[in-house]
Amino acid sequence: MSLKQIAAMVGTSVSTVSRVLNNTSAACASRELRERIWEAARETGYLPNEAARQLRKSGRDTASAVHISIVLARITSLEKDLFFSELFLSLEVELLKQKALIDHIIYADETFSQNLSESDGVIILGRCSQQLLSHITAQNKNVAAIWRNSMNFNVDEVICDGQKAAEQAMRHLLSRGHRKIAYIGDCSYESRYVGYCNMMIQNSIPMDYSLIRQTDQTQEEAETALKELLELKAEGKRDFTAILCANDSTAIRVLELLHKEKKKVRESLSVISIDNVEASQDTKPMLTTIHIPRAEMAHMAVVLLLDRIAGGHGETVRIEFPCRLIRRGSVADLSPADP
């Protein structure tokens, strides 16, 4: 399968297909077009010309390439989670660079009808249970996982600490004079919630549980959570000046809803979150968020997995990437001076 054939399948130019398959930048094409190009590449088992030529020269077909299965352990659809959608795209780009093919894409709500032992290795995206991991490792010992916090499982891990990300977000709010801070996100076994609580306690701020809203971190539940918080504020029962959202999907919806509110309400609330997905630059105001290095995490997961497949290492490896603050316009400064 060539770039020209993929371009014909999706109705775009060869140059656009080439840029998409070699670059995760939003400037390459629209989100919808990128998804269609990657879907066509997956369906056809596309390999770069150099890899295809090497296989033909050696008298082998794509069955001789490295075959990887991907398990999306925490979500049921890429369309519903912006962060995992972009992480998955970064992973596809990296696998393509390494001349590897994707065998199966398995979602959290699916049964494991696929035989993972037929793949050379497995990459897990997102936190999974010990039971699920045991099921995977029973079929395939070559496993690498990308998740926010170490699960202390006996598999290679690439992480970016969610608790540290939340603490960094809270430090930024506190440095801007905010002390009445609401939280919207998952509160059960969730490191980002732990980070929120730790910073409140460390700064001697009483925990107000009425300002904490448990959600599944989707945009649908974000709407309900914000409505409840705004009702408390409007009735004078509770006051708050900022909201920490556990992920950008939640924060983007919160900003969309605030944009429809009266100017006084809209300007009185700051919003910060975690992920730094592409859409965080399209909000009004643009979203201040904590950057999670998706491309680097995907790269290292593939490097670790291929090295394990090749017998390069046998001990469990854990690699942690730092997060960093992306300052935009959604956090107002309540402090008299900029520290």
Side-chain angles (χ1 to χ4, degrees), residues 181 196 200 205-212 237-239:
I181 304 169
Y196 165 81
M200 295 289 280
I205 303 174
M207 294 292 296
D208 185 347
Y209 292 98
S210 67
L211 296 182
I212 297 170
K237 295 179 179 179
R238 291 293 185 276
D239 189 25

Side-chain angles (χ1 to χ4, degrees), residues 1-25 27-29 33-34 36-38 40-41 46-50 89 92-94 96-97:
M1 176 58 63
S2 67
L3 292 176
K4 184 176 181 180
Q5 289 170 304
I6 293 176
M9 287 175 65
V10 300
T12 190
S13 67
V14 173
S15 60
T16 296
V17 172
S18 178
R19 286 196 297 270
V20 167
L21 295 181
N22 289 280
N23 196 326
T24 59
S25 169
C28 291
L33 180 55
R34 279 182 289 157
R36 283 164 45 207
I37 290 172
W38 277 107
Y46 169 77
L47 278 176
N49 287 337
E50 179 185 354
L89 176 58
E92 284 192 299
V93 169
E94 191 60 35
L96 190 61
K97 289 178 180 177

Side-chain angles (χ1 to χ4, degrees), residues 252-266:
I252 288 168
R253 183 56 180 156
V254 165
L255 286 175
E256 289 174 350
L257 295 169
L258 286 177
H259 189 68
K260 299 176 183 178
E261 293 288 332
K262 294 179 181 178
K263 184 177 180 181
K264 184 177 180 180
V265 174
R266 181 168 66 244

Side-chain angles (χ1 to χ4, degrees), residues 73 99 104 114 199 210 227 260 323 335:
K99 308 173 183 61
H104 306 297
Q114 295 89 350
M199 292 302 293
S210 67
K227 181 179 178 181
K260 299 176 183 178
C323 55
S335 59

Side-chain angles (χ1 to χ4, degrees), residues 23 37 53 62 80 92 101 141 144 152 162 169 180 183 198 210 258 263 325:
N23 196 326
I37 290 172
R53 282 196 298 269
T62 56
K80 293 183 179 180
E92 284 192 299
L101 296 176
K141 300 300 182 184
N152 293 314
K180 299 176 181 178
Y183 174 88
N198 281 352
S210 67
L258 286 177
K263 184 177 180 181
L325 175 69

